[in-house]
């Protein structure tokens, strides 16, 4: 699925980079010897003609020495110019890559007269939605769903059925080709992106928070990574969010606490810890609607428990859309929607769907048997 797609993209990217670098190196491997040869040739010619000049006696030894010194002095700037060309060459390659990244197509555009929603009830509605990635075959079809304010809805279905795609469209990372997504009756495309999902200075105006399937942590401190949800948050606010997300304790175990750097040189986080940081991020932003795309990776039962608790905090009093891989997570949501091949095949509560004995009952049975409890 997605993973393979990203891997392919990355190897393509690396291959291009390698080729550009090779090109630069090839040029360079010809250029350097030529410049060096010319340089040495200059010395040699000066020496030969100088010696001849002294012999036919219109040049003194002193003058020849001076001349040789001048030529040698000239070598230095030439060599420096050499180095400069090298730097320009390789930065040219890097700049090209940087511009390609900057040019990466942004999938959604904000309308010029987009509205800033100040406060919302939290009604999220999908109408006849159809979606395809970049003119490929459609991955979501005939998608209709009305999530009332404060309601919790779970989306389940096999891998590749389109669950994450729905989550991304709901947070407007993509626009559907057909149909609409409405927030309190406003088309998402009419709402400014900053009031929709980006952290605004006034966080009460950011309405949708998403915990993605793969949490992206930035190079920086733990604090910065949580504050990403609300850049001007105070230490107290950040700590409160981390506590609600069950992240405070493991953060305090790090040598520098909230100031610990995340990454290669700093502290490394487990999948469960990353997810709790992501939940803290969203809690800090305090949006009216939350979307949780549960990580697929298996968690040990302790962090599973901690995550369940933090998810409860996340859903409290909010409209929520959860994508659950472990069906135990969603036994008490208001509505379960079963997605297969991009289409809704079943909806109902846990009890209803189990009684119905359809797709959900089958998936539930499957997990029940697999986990053996
Ligand atoms: N960025 C993308 N570009 C092109 N195709 C994509 C992209 N992301 C997902 N797809 C494809 O869209 C379909 C639905 O993918 P999606 O990620 O929504 O599934 P999912 O239900 O979330 O699966 P999982 O349970 O494994 O997370 C898959 O066929 C997938 O290969
Ligand atoms: Mg997914």
């Amino acid at each position: 699925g997605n993973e393979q797609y990203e891997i392919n993209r990355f190897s393509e990217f690396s291959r291009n980079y390698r080729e550009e670098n090779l090109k630069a190196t090839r040029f360079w491997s010809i250029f350097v010897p030529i410049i060096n040869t010319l340089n040495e040739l200059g010395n040699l010619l000066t020496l030969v003609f100088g010696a001849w000049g002294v012999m036919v006696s219109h040049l003194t030894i002193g003058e020849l020495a001076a001349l040789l010194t001048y030529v040698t002095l000239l070598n230095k700037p030439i060599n420096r110019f050499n180095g400069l060309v090298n730097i320009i060459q390789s930065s040219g390659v890097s700049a090209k890559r940087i511009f390609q990244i900057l040019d990466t197509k942004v999938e959604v555009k904000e309308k010029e007269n987009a509205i800033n929603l100040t406060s919302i009830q939290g009604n999220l509605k999908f109408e006849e939605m159809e979606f395809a990635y970049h003119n490929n075959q459609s991955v979501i079809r005939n998608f209709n769903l009305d999530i009332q304010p404060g309601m919790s809805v779970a989306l389940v279905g096999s891998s590749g059925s389109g669950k994450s795609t729905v989550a991304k469209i709901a947070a407007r990372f993509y626009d559907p080709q057909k149909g609409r997504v409405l927030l309190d009756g406003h088309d998402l495309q009419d709402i400014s992106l900053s009031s929709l999902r980006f952290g605004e200075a006034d966080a009460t105006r950011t309405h949708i928070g998403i915990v993605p399937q793969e949490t992206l942590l930035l190079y920086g401190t733990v604090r910065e990574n949580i504050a990403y949800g609300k850049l001007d948050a105070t230490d107290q606010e950040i700590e409160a969010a981390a506590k609600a997300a069950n992240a405070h304790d493991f953060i305090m175990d790090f040598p520098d606490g909230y100031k610990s750097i995340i990454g290669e040189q700093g502290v490394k986080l487990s999948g469960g810890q990353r997810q709790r940081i992501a939940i803290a991020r969203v809690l800090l932003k305090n949006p009216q609607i939350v979307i949780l795309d549960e990580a697929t990776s298996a968690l040990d039962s302790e962090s599973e428990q901690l995550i369940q608790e933090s998810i409860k905090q996340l859903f409290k009093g909010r409209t929520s859309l959860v994508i659950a891989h472990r069906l135990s997570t969603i036994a008490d949501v208001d509505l379960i929607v079963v997605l297969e091949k991009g289409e809704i095949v079943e909806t109902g509560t846990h009890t209803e769907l189990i009684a119905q004995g359809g797709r959900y009952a089958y998936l539930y049975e499957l997990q029940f048997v697999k986990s053996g409890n």
Side-chain angles (χ1 to χ4, degrees), residues 1-2 5 133 139 158-165 168 174 213 325:
N2 237 338
Y5 170 81
Y133 286 100
V139 283
S158 33
S159 183
S161 57
K163 305 180 297 293
S164 296
T165 305
K168 287 180 215 164
Y174 295 101
Q213 194 164 1
H325 300 279

Side-chain angles (χ1 to χ4, degrees), residues 272-293:
Q273 290 173 331
R274 298 167 81 88
Q275 204 176 12
R276 278 178 277 161
I277 295 278
I279 290 173
R281 222 182 239 176
V282 172
L283 282 171
L284 182 67
K285 202 157 81 163
N286 192 24
Q288 191 51 44
I289 298 178
V290 294
I291 299 166
L292 173 80
D293 197 347

Side-chain angles (χ1 to χ4, degrees), residues 65-82:
L67 202 63
L68 271 174
T69 314
Y70 290 141
V71 173
T72 323
L73 279 178
L74 208 65
N75 285 348
K76 227 184 222 165
I78 290 178
N79 277 332
R80 207 175 292 157
F81 172 74
N82 237 344

Side-chain angles (χ1 to χ4, degrees), residues 209-224:
I210 180 166
V211 179
Q213 194 164 1
E214 307 295 340
T215 300
L216 206 76
L217 294 179
L218 312 164
Y219 178 79
T221 63
V222 172
R223 187 195 189 283
E224 284 163 349

